[in-house]
Each structure stands twice: as structure tokens, then as C-alpha cells.
Amino acid sequence: MTHSLVLKNATIVSDYSTVEGDLAFAGERISQVGGIAVGALEYDVSGCWVLPGMIDDQVHFREPGMEHKATIATESRAAIAGGVTSYMEMPNCVPPTINRERLLAKHERASQTSLANYGFYLGATNDNIEDIKNLNDSLACGIKVFMGASTGNMLVDNPRTLEEIFSHSTVVIATHCEDTPTIIRNEAKVREQYGANPPPELHATIRSDEACFRSSSFAVSLAKKFGARLHVLHLTSALELPLFDAGDIQNKQITCEVCVHHLLFDVRSYDQKGTLVKCNPSVKTQNDRDALRHALITDRIDIIATDHAPHTLAEKKLPFLDAPAGMPLVEFALCAALENAITGDATIHQIVAKTSHNPALRFDVKERGFIREGYFADVVVVDPNQHTEVNSTPILSKCGWTPFSGMSFSSKVTHTFVNGELLYRNGQFHSDQKGKAIEYIRT
């Protein structure tokens, strides 16, 4: 049998195992895993890891309404260069994605411009419970609930509304958990002492571990009360970790994630990077960062994501309390996550599970997230013997900067395939074939 494309001499990492051999595609699907295969087109990937593409369950591509910061086209391009083959995009754009009409409009935009596969959240508000109850769950990866105020005006703080959401949602509820009254009190104290430009590390005091715990513990209690499927986004504190069980994600009703920047940065990073590492929830202490790393390898944390959230440099140069929170991350996310495997702090199988397998399982993604025969050929080749020098190439995200500036990662994305098509190879884009809407397995 001659396949359409073959990756020769691959080290294939999937399903908590490693297979040495060839990986073959038949059109947009994987047709052979291991052994020897013959292809109409062949690439020798000796010495490289061949991984399922990263599925990033938390990005903000800013379209519609904030295209001066980013667009689906620019950010999906950066994602592909970073080995992210599928993404799930957040609803806090302008106007926010809070009903069926706006979900459909986003799907239409992405079908025309997105290089990566795409899914979208339906955003919750204090008054759109009927949209949530009547959701066609083939249109949304999940329901996003801002249980703390962040970018945009989508705070859901009505306890009755939250109970309605948790009792009626038929899909995963993904929560941003910070307690807004606690944050307001903390910020008022800081502004009183320092004005709008306090020492940057006080962002961790304003958006404190207590603010996170108050909200995440409330979300967990609601999920347990109503039997809801809850996914708590971007954990940042050791205080929250006991709320979540360790173990296989397939046995969990309640899951959580960590973002790459919270595994790398801590309060000491504010001295050098200032507003560039300002994000919500905040980068916290070294102890918090180390606790997150430990929870990752003990399977208390289930998923690694980015919370990719671009802002312009001009916006980031505002006085610290006025500067927006968020940073662009997709272009280097997979290499940043793999650093944990290269240093021996985690296994390569754990990192692949948390960047690819577990997002697919948590959000019911159909035939993606694994290297299996018959699955879509969303595949990334990573060379663990080449370094990624962040400052050596132009930044692809529209905002033109990265918090990883000056850093080096011990691996390099060399090829990215989406639906069997080579889109990116050794720093060059080879195709503008558009991604597909993520499909879900739901009953």
C-alpha cells in the first residue's frame, strides 16, 4: 500500500507508549502507526518526537471587535508554528459570544481564516440562561463562566444564575475563578498606598491566592451539588490544589488545568518583565509555582493550556494597574511544556497527555488528540536536539511580542500537519489550507 505521506523513522509518542517506526497518512487521516510504510511523499524525522498536535482549550484570539490586538488568522498562524493544531476560543470579544447567532458567526469567520482546527465557548452572563439551556451542543466546546472579573464585562456574580448554569448545562462548564469583592478590596489598599503604578509584584497580592480559593471552592461546591461537569481554568495557587483529586481524567467529573506561564514564572519575574507577565489570575510565589509543577506530575492537574491573550505593547506600557492583563503564548507553548520532560521533571507521556489527550477527552473531541489509525492527522514533529531561541525569529502573533523574550527552550517544532496537510516546516509555512470545526462525541 502506498500512503499519501509518510514520516520515516519516527519516535511516535501517544497513548502513554512510544513506537519506533513510520507514521503514515491517507489524505486527512492516519493510516498506519509503526512498522515500515511507503508514501507518495516522505519525510525522514530520525531523532525526533512525533506527537499529536496540542489542543489548547483556552485562547483569546480577539475577533470580532479587537482586531488591533489579534485576529483568528494571525493567532492561528502563530499556533501552527508552535505545534498547536486545535484551539478552543473564549467568548469575551466585542460583541461577546453569548448566543447561537454569535457562535455561528465565529464559526463562519474561522472557516475562512483559521489555519488550525477551531472550537468556541458560549459565554455565560447574568441574564442568558435561556441561551445556555437551549444550546445546540455541537456548536460549542463548553460554557465559559467568568466567576471573577477579567478582560471584558462578563462577570457572572448572581448566585441564582450560577445555580441555574450548573444545573442545566449539558456540556463542560469552564470557569475563571477569582473572587471579585476580594480583588476590589485588595486593589483599593494598593492604590491608596501607591497610586496606579505600584511595584509589579503586588499584582499577586491584589489577585491573591485567597481570591482564587474563594471562587474555585465555590465552583467545586456547585459542581458537586448539581452533578455538573466542571473544568477550572488556569490554577495559580497551592491553596486551591486540595480541591481536586489526583488520577485518570476519565474518572473525573471535576478537572483543572495549569497554563504554561504559571509553570515558568513566579513573583521574581515581575522585576524583569513588569506588565508583560501581568495576567489574571496572577503569577504568584515560587512556592505556588513549585506546587503546580508537582500537581502536574501527580495527575492532580489534568491539562496544560495557554490562556493566550494578546495586547499591544502600547497597552502594556500603561501604568501597572491600568495595563491590561494577558499575554501571547501559543507560538512557544508546546516547547515550554516539553521543557518539563526534557529536564526530567515529568515524562514525555505525561506532557503529551496533558497537552493533547486530556483536552480531547475532557471536551468530548471526536478523533483528535491521539495518534491512532483512523484519527485525523493532526501531528507535530519536535526535535529534542535543537533549541528554540525565542529572540532569533520574528514573533508571529499580531501584537509582536512575547513574555518568553530572551529565553531558550531545549526543543524545536520542525513540522506541523493539520488534517494530513503539511502547514509548517522548519520556520516556513507550506500551505494556507484552513482548519476544520472541531466535532464532539455527545449523546
Side-chain angles (χ1 to χ4, degrees):
M1 176 181 180
T2 300
H3 305 270
S4 59
L5 187 148
V6 173
L7 301 179
K8 301 291 292 182
N9 307 309
T11 299
I12 305 162
V13 183
S14 184
D15 290 278
Y16 284 91
S17 66
T18 302
V19 175
E20 303 287 345
D22 297 346
L23 180 66
F25 303 166
E28 64 185 18
R29 302 275 181 167
I30 295 168
S31 51
Q32 182 178 319
V33 181
I36 299 174
V38 177
L41 184 62
E42 297 184 348
Y43 296 97
D44 188 341
V45 293
S46 300
C48 295
W49 292 325
V50 176
L51 315 176
M54 182 172 176
I55 300 175
D56 191 347
D57 75 1
Q58 189 184 181
V59 304
H60 303 261
F61 284 179
R62 304 303 192 198
E63 187 179 349
M66 292 179 280
E67 289 88 346
H68 70 287
K69 301 176 192 278
T71 67
I72 290 172
T74 60
E75 306 316 287
S76 66
R77 187 177 175 88
I80 292 299
V84 176
T85 56
S86 299
Y87 61 84
M88 299 176 188
E89 208 263 349
M90 289 296 171
N92 53 331
C93 47
V94 183
T97 316
I98 57 175
N99 57 39
R100 175 186 170 86
E101 179 185 11
R102 292 176 187 173
L103 271 174
L104 289 170
K106 267 196 174 177
H107 274 270
E108 177 61 23
R109 285 173 178 264
S111 71
Q112 297 176 22
T113 64
S114 181
L115 293 186
N117 305 312
Y118 48 89
F120 299 103
Y121 289 89
L122 178 70
T125 71
N126 278 325
D127 54 13
N128 76 334
I129 189 61
E130 293 305 314
D131 294 284
I132 292 169
K133 289 180 179 179
N134 296 318
L135 173 67
N136 177 343
D137 61 18
S138 68
L139 287 179
C141 54
I143 303 294
K144 173 62 182 291
V145 184
F146 286 91
M147 294 179 66
S150 189
T151 302
N153 184 26
M154 294 185 66
L155 175 65
V156 182
D157 57 359
N158 184 320
R160 178 58 184 161
T161 300
L162 288 168
E163 290 196 346
E164 287 276 290
I165 293 168
F166 276 77
S167 62
H168 285 100
S169 177
T170 59
V171 296
V172 173
I173 299 167
T175 55
H176 176 128
C177 287
E178 294 183 283
D179 181 65
T180 298
T182 300
I183 293 168
I184 290 172
R185 289 195 299 271
N186 291 343
E187 182 172 328
K189 293 176 183 177
V190 169
R191 281 189 181 273
E192 183 178 357
Q193 184 171 359
Y194 295 100
N197 219 11
E201 65 269 18
L202 290 184
H203 191 56
T205 300
I206 295 169
R207 291 185 176 256
S208 62
D209 56 357
E210 178 193 7
C212 293
F213 179 81
R214 283 178 178 270
S215 183
S216 55
S217 59
F218 182 37
V220 168
S221 70
L222 286 170
K224 290 180 176 179
K225 179 178 180 179
F226 295 104
R229 298 175 65 201
L230 170 66
H231 183 59
V232 178
L233 301 164
H234 44 42
L235 285 191
T236 58
S237 74
L239 187 61
E240 296 168 277
L241 291 172
L243 295 169
F244 304 94
D245 296 329
D248 188 335
I249 193 172
Q250 295 186 84
N251 298 323
K252 297 181 182 182
Q253 190 81 348
I254 298 170
T255 56
C256 63
E257 76 180 30
V258 67
C259 291
V260 287
H261 49 293
H262 292 123
L263 293 172
L264 290 176
F265 300 132
D266 60 49
V267 287
R268 296 170 296 179
S269 306
Y270 290 111
D271 285 343
Q272 178 185 2
K273 297 182 179 292
T275 58
L276 298 187
V277 291
K278 181 183 178 182
C279 57
N280 299 336
S282 64
V283 170
K284 294 183 173 62
T285 69
Q286 183 179 359
N287 178 66
D288 288 312
R289 188 202 65 184
D290 292 346
L292 294 171
R293 290 179 175 179
H294 181 71
L296 185 73
I297 63 174
T298 56
D299 294 330
R300 190 175 298 275
I301 290 177
D302 305 286
I303 290 173
I304 300 174
T306 66
D307 196 14
H308 175 88
H311 298 284
T312 68
L313 272 176
E315 291 166 333
K316 279 291 193 177
K317 288 179 180 178
L318 293 170
F320 192 86
L321 290 182
D322 299 330
M327 57 187 87
L329 295 153
V330 289
E331 191 171 346
F332 304 102
L334 183 57
C335 287
L338 287 169
E339 202 74 6
N340 294 276
I342 292 169
T343 60
D345 293 329
T347 69
I348 182 66
H349 301 103
Q350 287 177 312
I351 300 303
V352 169
K354 294 175 196 300
T355 55
S356 302
H357 302 345
N358 288 359
L361 293 169
R362 172 79 293 200
F363 291 91
D364 312 309
V365 173
K366 183 179 180 181
E367 297 172 345
R368 302 188 191 275
F370 296 82
I371 295 180
R372 294 174 178 171
E373 291 180 9
Y375 272 51
F376 286 101
D378 297 340
V379 173
V380 178
V381 180
V382 176
D383 189 341
N385 300 304
Q386 290 192 58
H387 282 215
T388 297
E389 304 293 341
V390 174
N391 286 0
S392 65
T393 57
I395 301 303
L396 295 175
S397 186
K398 186 174 183 178
C399 65
W401 64 274
T402 171
F404 298 136
S405 179
M407 298 176 68
S408 174
F409 298 113
S410 307
S411 64
K412 189 176 186 69
V413 172
T414 62
H415 303 67
T416 303
F417 300 86
V418 179
N419 302 310
E421 178 84 0
L422 176 64
L423 297 191
Y424 176 86
R425 181 188 181 195
N426 294 325
Q428 301 294 320
F429 286 86
H430 284 252
S431 172
D432 62 356
Q433 178 173 293
K434 303 305 181 286
K436 296 176 179 288
I438 295 171
E439 296 181 86
Y440 308 98
I441 303 170
R442 289 169 177 160
T443 56

